[in-house]
Amino acid sequence: MKLNLEQIPREKTLSKKEFIQKYFRPQKPVVIECFIEDWPAYSKWSLDYVKEVAGDKEVPLYDDRPVKHDEGFNEPHAKMKLADYVDLLKSGPTKYRIFLWNILREVPELQKDFKYPDFGLRLMKGLPMLFFGGEDSHTFMHYDIDLANIFHFHFEGKKQCILFSQDETKFLYKIPHSLITREDIDFADPDLDKWPALQYAKGHIAHLEHGNVLYIPEGYWHHMKYITPGFSMSLRAIARKPKNLGKAVYNIFVMRHFDNLMRRLKGQQWIDWKNEKAVERTQKLMLQR
């Protein structure tokens, strides 16, 4: 048995009015296939181009190892020159990914290659983030700390995206005081005998190729798997729903600091307790469905 996933709707293009009415207001994801052809980035951006203009930059790298108590919030697992990292991506499968790399701060000239589209939302112009991954690398299932509306622009290669709304959290084995699910769940091919609650979660799936834009509604869980080496850029707008905005404030100013404190005080015992609680709470909620 596989996850209960429906294909995310695909549109060739969308006007601002159509996007607001069909997708933003009802908070539904969508893939826009032909939206950035007028960006210089559409024809220029590739792994080779990024290596050429930013190869000397040192980048933070992350893999799929479990969270450890002595690692800080979003602390990288390694660092490498971008040129060497691109060579690594092209040499074969690797677990290393670049996560939340701010291109405005690191490579300001890349700003000239794209523009902030008018989707009817005020985009945060100081936070264009790049994400890179090699063949078969993936993120943990997670949602963003600020529960933002995300526009995910993909460049080079192919990428699989699995999404769940916050309404499905009760079935996802969420880790308490965190933004992730159990890290030992393979959402690309989950063991539903081991994780039975997942069969009740209703989600969405899409495959992205160069130039596609994925709209991820605010607070949606997302799991990204790179089918081939590639990279994406995310632009974001703050959460509009008061409930989500309140969660964002709590996550940023309370939750992450509390979690870091408990890691220092309890060590690995805190991580183990959270993993156990994720299963206990999910099983209890599953029985109450």
Side-chain angles (χ1 to χ4, degrees):
M1 184 182 292
K2 299 295 184 181
L3 291 174
N4 184 4
L5 304 174
E6 65 177 23
Q7 289 290 328
I8 294 174
R10 304 182 76 91
E11 303 269 9
K12 286 297 182 183
T13 188
L14 278 175
S15 68
K16 177 170 63 175
K17 182 179 179 180
E18 289 171 332
F19 168 73
I20 293 294
Q21 291 180 344
K22 294 177 65 175
Y23 299 104
F24 173 69
R25 285 179 180 162
Q27 287 289 281
K28 294 180 178 180
V30 63
V31 175
I32 310 172
E33 296 180 333
C34 304
F35 194 80
I36 64 170
E37 281 82 352
D38 61 334
W39 289 11
Y42 181 76
S43 57
K44 291 169 62 176
W45 282 19
S46 65
L47 290 172
D48 287 336
Y49 178 71
V50 174
K51 176 182 176 181
E52 177 185 337
V53 300
D56 62 335
K57 300 292 184 181
E58 187 174 70
V59 293
L61 301 177
Y62 301 81
D63 58 27
D64 59 0
R65 73 187 71 178
V67 170
K68 296 172 61 179
H69 72 276
D70 55 355
E71 292 178 345
F73 190 83
N74 284 343
E75 183 177 326
H77 300 133
K79 293 183 178 180
M80 186 182 295
K81 293 289 187 183
L82 183 58
D84 296 330
Y85 176 65
V86 170
D87 290 342
L88 179 65
L89 292 184
K90 292 192 168 191
S91 67
T94 175
K95 297 296 185 182
Y96 278 130
R97 296 174 290 105
I98 297 177
F99 174 70
L100 289 176
W101 191 50
N102 190 320
I103 63 170
L104 272 185
R105 184 176 64 242
E106 299 292 339
V107 194
E109 57 265 37
L110 290 179
Q111 168 74 61
K112 302 173 184 177
D113 292 341
F114 68 92
K115 58 186 177 183
Y116 293 90
D118 183 7
F119 287 109
L121 304 178
R122 181 174 293 181
L123 299 174
M124 292 184 272
K125 295 188 176 181
L127 294 173
M129 298 293 186
L130 285 186
F131 304 80
F132 291 70
E135 180 183 345
D136 286 335
S137 66
H138 64 86
T139 66
F140 296 125
M141 181 65 76
H142 69 286
Y143 65 94
D144 286 12
I145 193 168
D146 58 355
L147 286 86
N149 293 277
I150 302 169
F151 298 92
H152 197 66
F153 303 81
H154 189 61
F155 298 93
E156 189 159 335
K158 297 181 180 181
K159 191 177 195 178
Q160 176 182 276
C161 307
I162 297 175
L163 309 181
F164 292 97
S165 73
Q166 284 285 316
D167 292 339
E168 305 303 313
T169 299
K170 56 185 176 290
F171 300 126
L172 298 181
Y173 298 91
K174 179 187 182 298
I175 302 294
H177 310 290
S178 182
L179 308 171
I180 62 173
T181 63
R182 283 278 305 223
E183 298 151 296
D184 44 352
I185 299 175
D186 178 5
F187 276 88
D189 186 22
D191 182 344
L192 297 185
D193 292 325
K194 185 176 182 180
W195 312 109
L198 292 179
Q199 65 187 298
Y200 302 109
K202 297 180 180 179
H204 313 265
I205 188 170
H207 289 81
L208 304 182
E209 298 186 354
H210 182 86
N212 289 172
V213 185
L214 170 64
Y215 167 61
I216 304 176
E218 54 191 60
Y220 264 50
W221 292 90
H222 43 284
H223 174 276
M224 307 294 196
K225 180 178 180 180
Y226 292 85
I227 308 303
T228 61
F231 64 103
S232 306
M233 180 180 71
S234 282
L235 301 178
R236 56 207 305 113
I238 63 171
R240 295 287 192 89
K241 291 186 176 181
K243 181 179 179 180
N244 290 337
L245 195 55
K247 283 184 180 179
V249 171
Y250 172 79
N251 289 342
I252 294 169
F253 294 105
V254 179
M255 183 274 291
R256 67 173 174 176
H257 298 294
F258 174 74
D259 186 55
N260 283 334
L261 174 63
M262 293 303 292
R263 291 190 198 193
R264 291 195 296 269
L265 295 177
K266 297 288 188 177
Q268 189 61 35
Q269 181 183 353
W270 173 246
I271 302 296
D272 294 341
W273 177 85
K274 292 200 301 176
N275 280 316
E276 292 170 5
K277 277 295 178 183
V279 175
E280 290 175 13
R281 292 179 179 181
T282 302
Q283 289 176 337
K284 183 178 179 180
L285 290 170
M286 179 178 66
L287 294 175
Q288 295 173 353
R289 75 186 191 281

